[in-house]
Every structure is written in structure tokens, then in C-alpha cells.
Amino acid sequence: MLTLEHLAELVQEYGGALRAEVRPIFLGRRELPFGRRPVLMGVINLSPDSWYRESVCLTTESAVRRGRILTAQGADLVDVGAESTLAHAARVEEALQQSRLCPVVRELAAAGIVVSVETYSAAVARAVLEAGAQVINLTGTAEADAVYDLVAAYDAAVILCYVQGAHVRAVGDFEFDADMVGRMAEWFARERDRARARGVGKVILDPGLGFYYRNLQDSAMRVRHQMRVFLQTFRLRTLGCPICHALPHAFEYFGEEVRCAEPFFAVLAALGRTDLFRTHEVPRVRAVLETLQVYDPRPGG
């Protein structure tokens, strides 16, 4: 059971990191106001294998419509993917991903919507950046240098996902450490510096809590890991980059109320000082975050 005592222990051990601040990122004339308020990223899935049915769009028209709706609901940017990260999902060839992604990206970008594309492929990254994407949500390391070069050339931003493998579809068992957040921080520092050395100036970090490792299918183990990382996210902000979290679902606990899971995890992520919330449930998560911001510790405040 998570208690106030657990939170107090984290503050006592790592409290100095709570003072870490991050700055806004500018994408052209658009600002992602990191450091001032939570930033919301809505999700559009172009793969029929994606489990979150509300986010699945199988035509360009439906995807663009969802992007407009997410923006109206409060999303600061939308994240589009053409291949599910589920272990059993079909692999989608790069050419097919491009044919699905580029028309959607072009229309959303033309509508003034900031578009992120989830990929581990340099070829896909090149195509969507040409189409108008301003963020690459990089879910792999095998082609990272080529992606960094492209991101730098287009003055875009990159989300560096913590992946224990060549990419999100090539992971096995998750290797734990006594201090998992410390281990992530070391990896992120190296990868941030690698990206910056290739000219990338806009870097966001994502601990990758939604990826499907074989030994994290046990619900209790997976959720404990996610909760620990959420609550210690502030430690990663000492690297000077905004932190993104893809909010998870915990089917085993939420059952038919699974659409309530992301708002619940948003509370933990917010307590840990997450900057960017990737969610299928923009209006629900927005309401939760706005409610948290009302709190004032002063009596009568």
C-alpha cells in the first residue's frame, strides 16, 4: 500500500533533486510550456493491432478527425504510430508505415497541430519529418544516430525512450537494478549527450513504462515497477530535460474500468513531477491534472 510515509522517505533521500527545473521547448512558433504546467500528448494509433480501441483510426480521415478532437480536448500535441508495441502484434513494413503515417501527418501539421511520430526506423523518421512532424518518439537504439541526424536537420525534437534492446519490438526480459531510476539516469545522460553531439537541441526523456517485456507480464511486478519510477521521476529531471510518461493501464486491477487507469497513474506521475503525459484519455487526465493544481497548502488558500 502506497502511503505518505513512502513519499516522505523519497523526499528525505532525494529531496535535492526536487529543485531541478526544465525549460519550455519551441517547435517553430509553437511552445511546449514545460516547467510551467503539465503538457498533454494525445494518441492516435494507425495499427489495427493496438488494443486501445478508442485511439485506433484505420483511415486518414478518422485519424485527422481524432487529432482535431484531441486538440480541442486539451492536447498540446498528438503522437501517431503505425505499428503496435504489443509483443504479438504484426510487424509493419517501413513502406506501409510511411503510406499510413505521411497523409495523416501532413493534414494535421497543415491544421497547425504539433505532431509526434512513434518509430524506431530512420527511414520512417525521414518520411514523417518531410511530411511535417516536429517530434520523433524514438522507441529504439539500433538506428539512433541516423535519427538524431534527421532530427537535427529538421530542427525537431526527439523523445528518447528507455529500451533494453535494439527497439521496442526486439525486447526480452527486463533487467532490473537495485536503483532502477539511477540506472535509467546513467543511460539517459549518455544518450542525451550522444544526441546533442549530433546537433539535436530539443531532447525529452521517457522511461518506457508501457513496453512489453516478457518478465513484466506479472501484473503486480509490472505495476510496482511503474509506480516506483513514476514517484521518482523528479530524479531524472536533474538531467535538464523534460520527462515524458506513457500512462499505463493495469488491466488486471481495473478490469472493465480500464479507461480509469490512465487518470489514476497520472496522479502518481504528477507527484513525481512528470512534464509530458502521453495518454489515450486526454479529457480525463486533463481534469485530474487541473484538479491537482488547485491544491494550496496554506490554510484558507
Side-chain angles (χ1 to χ4, degrees):
M1 177 71 179
L2 176 63
T3 67
L4 287 175
E5 287 81 1
H6 295 127
L7 301 181
E9 290 171 4
L10 287 177
V11 173
Q12 183 173 3
E13 186 167 3
Y14 303 113
L18 284 168
R19 294 188 290 272
E21 296 294 340
V22 299
R23 296 180 178 179
I25 285 178
F26 289 87
L27 300 169
R29 290 179 293 179
R30 297 293 298 275
E31 178 191 27
L32 299 182
F34 300 123
R36 293 205 302 272
R37 66 165 174 83
V39 177
L40 289 170
M41 173 191 277
V43 179
I44 301 172
N45 288 315
L46 305 184
S47 166
D49 292 320
S50 297
W51 72 268
Y52 217 102
R53 308 320 299 170
E54 291 76 15
S55 68
V56 173
C57 300
L58 300 183
T59 67
T60 297
E61 292 74 19
S62 62
V64 172
R65 182 169 59 252
R66 177 167 170 81
R68 291 179 180 274
I69 290 171
L70 290 168
T71 302
Q73 290 173 334
D76 298 277
L77 67 164
V78 297
D79 190 51
V80 188
E83 182 182 72
S84 172
T85 60
L86 292 170
H88 64 267
R91 297 293 294 273
V92 182
E93 296 295 328
E94 291 176 343
L96 180 55
Q97 289 195 44
Q98 293 174 41
S99 70
R100 290 175 176 174
L101 287 163
C102 289
V104 175
V105 172
R106 287 193 194 97
E107 289 204 36
L108 290 175
I113 296 171
V114 177
V115 183
S116 164
V117 172
E118 180 181 317
T119 187
Y120 49 82
S121 161
V124 173
R126 179 186 297 278
V128 298
L129 287 166
E130 290 176 354
Q134 293 176 285
V135 182
I136 296 298
N137 188 359
L138 182 58
T139 57
T141 58
E143 300 185 30
D145 284 346
V147 173
Y148 296 154
D149 291 344
L150 288 164
V151 168
Y154 282 87
D155 193 27
V158 66
I159 300 174
L160 303 180
C161 293
Y162 181 78
V163 183
Q164 291 186 358
H167 55 75
V168 69
R169 298 300 303 278
V171 298
D173 287 341
F174 188 83
E175 184 178 334
F176 284 95
D177 193 279
D179 179 11
M180 202 63 234
V181 174
R183 176 173 175 166
M184 288 179 177
E186 292 176 1
W187 185 89
F188 278 132
R190 292 193 300 269
E191 207 62 26
R192 174 204 59 189
D193 292 347
R194 181 178 166 192
R196 287 178 174 173
R198 304 190 79 90
V200 178
K202 304 164 188 176
V203 178
I204 301 166
L205 311 178
D206 183 339
L209 296 183
F211 299 154
Y212 292 83
Y213 296 89
R214 289 179 308 200
N215 62 334
L216 285 182
Q217 300 310 301
D218 176 79
S219 58
M221 179 186 294
R222 183 180 68 254
V223 172
R224 278 197 297 268
H225 168 62
Q226 291 167 338
M227 293 174 74
R228 288 169 183 151
V229 176
F230 278 138
L231 293 174
Q232 296 186 51
T233 293
F234 63 93
R235 295 174 58 195
L236 298 174
R237 295 174 92 244
T238 61
L239 296 172
C241 301
I243 310 301
C244 171
H245 274 303
L247 300 177
H249 315 107
F251 297 103
E252 301 88 345
Y253 296 101
F254 282 84
E256 293 182 358
E257 297 300 324
V258 70
R259 294 189 66 181
C260 299
E262 291 188 14
F264 164 74
F265 284 110
V267 174
L268 302 184
L271 290 174
R273 299 199 68 189
T274 296
D275 301 286
L276 176 59
F277 296 74
R278 182 183 184 275
T279 177
H280 301 77
E281 300 287 347
V282 168
R284 289 178 168 89
V285 170
R286 178 185 178 185
V288 167
L289 296 176
E290 289 180 348
T291 304
L292 288 174
Q293 291 178 77
V294 171
Y295 175 74
D296 189 326
R298 300 169 299 176

